[in-house]
Amino acid sequence: MKIAISTTGPDLKSLSESRFGRAKSFLLYDLETDTYSILENEQNYALPQGAGVQTARHLIQAKVKVVISGHVGPKALETLKAGKVKIYLTSPRTISEILEDYKQDLLEEI
C-alpha cells in the first residue's frame, strides 16, 4: 500500500509540507516493500486555482491509498474521498516521525 506525504525535501529526514495542493513534492512510501520515492508536483503547485483537486487526481493515478498532509482543502478532500483515499492531517515533523505515528495508529483520519 502506498502512502503519500507532502514534503519539503527528498528523504525521510525531511520535514512534511503543511500544504497539500501547493506542495512541491510528495514522498511515496510503500508499506509492503519498505521503500520510498519522490513524486514531483510542479505541474500543480503553481496553478492559479484548482491545485488541490489536480494534485488529488495525480495521487489517485499513482495508486496512493493514504495521504498525510498539514491541510487539505474541501474540494481536494472530496476528490480524494471519491478515489477511496484515506486522509490524515499532521503538524510539520520529519517524514520518519509521521510514518512511525501512522504505523502505530496515532494519526487521526479525517
Side-chain angles (χ1 to χ4, degrees):
M1 179 179 72
K2 285 186 193 174
I3 298 172
I5 304 170
S6 54
T7 185
T8 61
D11 56 37
L12 298 174
K13 295 178 185 176
S14 301
L15 291 177
S16 62
E17 167 65 65
S18 61
R19 302 169 298 175
F20 173 74
R22 305 251 178 236
K24 290 190 178 183
S25 61
F26 288 84
L27 186 136
L28 300 184
Y29 187 84
D30 190 321
L31 284 175
E32 294 168 10
T33 61
D34 200 31
T35 59
Y36 68 90
S37 61
I38 298 296
L39 179 68
E40 298 297 331
N41 192 42
E42 291 179 11
Q43 73 279 12
N44 297 321
Y45 79 83
L47 290 174
Q49 60 184 348
V53 171
Q54 292 303 320
T55 298
R57 289 179 181 158
H58 191 57
L59 292 174
I60 290 167
Q61 288 174 349
K63 309 234 186 283
V64 166
K65 296 299 179 193
V66 171
V67 164
I68 303 172
S69 189
H71 174 74
V72 179
K75 291 179 183 176
L77 191 65
E78 286 178 30
T79 303
L80 289 168
K81 285 185 176 183
K84 302 199 185 322
V85 176
K86 293 182 178 186
I87 305 109
Y88 296 85
L89 297 182
T90 188
S91 58
R93 295 179 288 149
T94 66
I95 302 300
S96 60
E97 290 171 324
I98 292 168
L99 283 169
E100 202 52 45
D101 283 354
Y102 176 79
K103 290 175 183 178
Q104 294 180 22
D105 201 27
L106 297 174
L107 298 178
E108 186 175 340
E109 183 179 355
I110 295 178

